[in-house]
Amino acid sequence: MKITKIFTFDSSHMLDGHDGKCQNLHGHTYKLEITVSDDPIRGGAKDGMVMDFTDLKAIVKKHITDPFDHAFIYHGGNGRECQIAALLEGWNMKTLCLPCRTTAENMAVEMYDRLKNAGLKVCSVKLWETPTSCAEYEGE
């Protein structure tokens, strides 16, 4: 059985060295779809549920939306992006360093891994960068 919950958050990023307009600092209102797969619980208050949507929301909030929302997300291995992050941090603005380039594809993998490491039985992460463009990761 699978359940899916949808979240939204706003972030800025850039793709330094990209050959299009996304090389510039810009932002998105991301839509995030988290799908969890497991056998339904048998017995107790949560009988018939894969998991309580409220519990799923709390995990995603802690590991994804709280750190990502309204942050400048940057690649820690890119000097120019790190310079921008340092400037923003000097002004007490929110940043989030990732170990990879901040493409929708890489961010979907990062989010999947964060949720898996939190013990969630996530089976897919779908990250919508725009209403018509998304990346989906289903794990190895």
Side-chain angles (χ1 to χ4, degrees):
M1 178 67 68
K2 294 179 183 179
I3 62 167
T4 301
K5 186 155 180 64
I6 298 172
F7 304 86
T8 60
F9 63 93
D10 299 291
S11 296
S12 63
H13 76 135
M14 62 187 286
L15 299 175
D16 189 36
H18 182 61
D19 59 359
K21 62 184 179 178
C22 289
Q23 70 182 322
N24 297 302
L25 180 60
H26 64 285
H28 298 280
T29 296
Y30 289 95
K31 182 171 93 171
L32 175 63
E33 297 179 38
I34 303 296
T35 301
V36 175
S37 180
D38 203 357
D39 292 329
I41 298 165
R42 294 294 169 220
K46 297 179 182 178
D47 183 51
M49 297 179 176
V50 168
M51 76 179 296
D52 191 312
F53 284 112
T54 302
D55 296 337
L56 176 55
K57 181 180 177 181
I59 293 168
V60 173
K61 181 180 185 317
K62 178 179 179 182
H63 297 281
I64 307 297
T65 55
D66 280 354
F68 282 80
D69 189 40
H70 283 81
F72 169 61
I73 304 167
Y74 69 100
H75 178 202
N78 181 282
R80 287 170 36 111
E81 292 182 27
C82 287
Q83 284 182 322
I84 293 169
L87 177 66
L88 293 172
E89 290 162 2
W91 291 335
N92 293 316
M93 293 187 171
K94 187 175 177 183
T95 66
L96 179 63
C97 181
L98 296 184
C100 55
R101 197 168 193 217
T102 58
T103 63
E105 296 88 342
N106 287 340
M107 287 174 52
V109 173
E110 174 72 20
M111 292 172 179
Y112 180 97
D113 290 344
R114 286 175 179 232
L115 296 173
K116 231 3 165 188
N117 290 336
L120 192 65
K121 294 184 177 180
V122 61
C123 67
S124 71
V125 168
K126 186 181 281 190
L127 183 64
W128 293 84
E129 202 172 69
T130 70
T132 61
S133 304
C134 71
E136 184 173 10
Y137 183 67
E138 297 177 340
E140 298 289 330

